[in-house]
Each structure stands twice: as C-alpha cells, then as structure tokens.
Amino acid sequence: MIIKKADLLITAAKKEQYPDTEVPEIAFAGKSNVGKSSMINALVNRKKLARTSGQPGKTQTINFYNINDTLNLVDLPGYGYAKVSKNEREKWGVMIETYLYNRNQLKEVVLLVDIRHEPSVNDKQMYTWIKNCNFTGYVIATKADKLSRSQQMKNLSVIKKSLYISNDNLLYPFSSETKAGVENVWNLFENILGIEE
C-alpha cells in the first residue's frame, strides 16, 4: 500500500470515545513490549506516529490510526505485564472486550507474538479468544531480525505448534527494524479488506 496519509485519530479508554468513522478496522493484540507500536510505525514508514517505549505496559488506551482515509489500524493495550496492578489489568481486559464485542467496523484481530519465544499462556488465551470471536487467527511474529533465517524457521514451527496453527498462510514473520514482512502484511490487510491499490 502506498501511504499518502497516516494520523493518530484518537486514544480511547471508553466506547463513547471511539472515533466516529465508517472505515474498516484491523486491530493488533499482543503482550506488552511485543512491538505493536513499532510495527505500526514500520507499516506506515514513520518513526514516531505510534509512541514506542522500552517500558512495557505503556499503551494503556486503545489507539486508532487512520491510514489514507481507507482503514484504521487499532493498537490494543498490551497484556501480561507483571508490574501493573490487578485492578489495572482487569480494566484493560474490560476495555479490550468492549471493543472486540461492540465495534462493527472491526474486520480482523491479529495477534502479535515475539518470534524468539514460545507463545505464553496469555498469548494462547488471547489467540483462543480471537478465534472464539470468529476472527481468522492471523499471527505476526515480530523481532524477526533478532534471529538467523534457519532459527526463524525453527521458531515459527514452535509458534505454529503451540497455537495449533495448521495453515501456513496464517503466520507472518516481521521486523520493524529491517522492514522485512511489511509488504506481505500490507498484502494480507488489502486482501482481508478487499482494498484495490
């Protein structure tokens, strides 16, 4: 996709704060620090559209990014960060659930996992939840630049097994650093939404 325009529309904590847009949405779920914000920046070829942080648990709202006025990319709060209070974690859970169950514009939820590690219990729960909400079950394995090609293949196979992914077309390696996978991910999103470039 040729990016002509990419804007942060709004950061929302409640349903009434969601943007009043009709364009289709693709949301990203994943644990804290898995690289959701970095991936959005890489996809739109901007360094600081989505705020990244070395500190896990930074995204505590649902962030809506409008691309070319044709779709919104939605960054959901990261889960599984131990230093956040139980109360905060529960609030995030409700926030994510409200969005997943009430947003008609939402066309797909994509799970991000770190390619270097086997998916955690939280990842598996999130993936099951995504599938139970009748989404396809696409997974993007981030930080691919941290591994050699052969190690990537090995780890992708572990991820597939761990999440019971039977279809190779559901799993995409990605690197925000080298931009490897950007084109494949955009092709995927265009196919999901039926966008013709």
Side-chain angles (χ1 to χ4, degrees):
M1 175 171 286
I2 296 156
I3 308 297
K4 301 185 182 88
K5 180 178 174 221
D7 297 312
L8 171 61
L9 279 183
I10 199 160
T11 60
K14 302 189 187 83
K15 189 179 165 195
E16 43 282 11
Q17 296 170 324
Y18 298 165
D20 186 18
T21 49
E22 294 301 318
V23 296
E25 294 176 355
I26 292 177
F28 303 129
K31 66 181 178 214
S32 296
N33 246 16
V34 74
K36 296 189 297 295
S37 302
S38 298
M39 185 180 85
I40 290 169
N41 288 335
L43 287 172
V44 299
N45 203 19
R46 295 258 292 273
K47 281 196 168 61
K48 291 184 180 156
L49 176 67
R51 299 255 292 287
T52 60
S53 166
Q55 184 192 343
K58 200 70 184 150
T59 304
Q60 297 185 14
T61 49
I62 299 175
N63 298 339
F64 292 80
Y65 299 92
N66 180 264
I67 315 300
N68 292 354
D69 294 328
T70 53
L71 78 147
N72 291 340
L73 298 180
V74 182
D75 187 2
L76 299 173
Y79 52 75
Y81 182 52
K83 285 192 184 168
V84 173
S85 71
K86 186 167 181 277
N87 190 17
E88 275 299 311
R89 285 203 297 272
E90 282 168 4
K91 271 196 339 214
W92 293 0
V94 170
M95 201 190 297
I96 293 170
E97 217 167 87
T98 303
Y99 172 74
L100 292 184
Y101 290 137
N102 294 286
R103 190 71 170 159
N104 294 333
Q105 295 88 327
L106 179 60
K107 301 303 174 204
E108 197 62 74
V109 182
V110 178
L111 178 69
L112 272 65
V113 297
D114 186 326
I115 197 169
R116 298 169 299 177
H117 310 294
E118 186 176 341
S120 66
V121 172
N122 285 328
D123 290 328
K124 291 174 186 171
Q125 284 174 340
M126 190 73 212
Y127 195 59
T128 303
W129 197 17
I130 288 169
K131 304 271 295 255
N132 287 344
C133 289
N134 293 323
F135 295 108
T136 312
Y138 292 107
V139 177
I140 293 174
T142 61
K143 311 192 184 194
D145 55 286
K146 307 278 193 252
L147 299 178
S148 67
R149 188 89 185 107
S150 64
Q151 196 61 54
Q152 279 183 38
M153 300 318 287
K154 210 182 283 182
N155 287 30
L156 287 169
S157 156
V158 169
I159 292 167
K160 274 175 68 178
K161 206 167 154 188
S162 182
L163 295 175
Y164 302 101
I165 297 172
S166 52
N167 183 343
D168 282 345
N169 296 329
L170 293 178
L171 183 58
Y172 292 79
F174 190 90
S175 165
S176 302
E177 288 295 315
T178 64
K179 308 282 196 293
V182 165
E183 200 174 326
N184 291 342
V185 169
W186 272 125
N187 289 342
L188 168 66
F189 293 172
E190 285 167 7
N191 286 338
I192 291 169
L193 302 176
I195 295 170
E196 295 286 330
E197 265 298 284

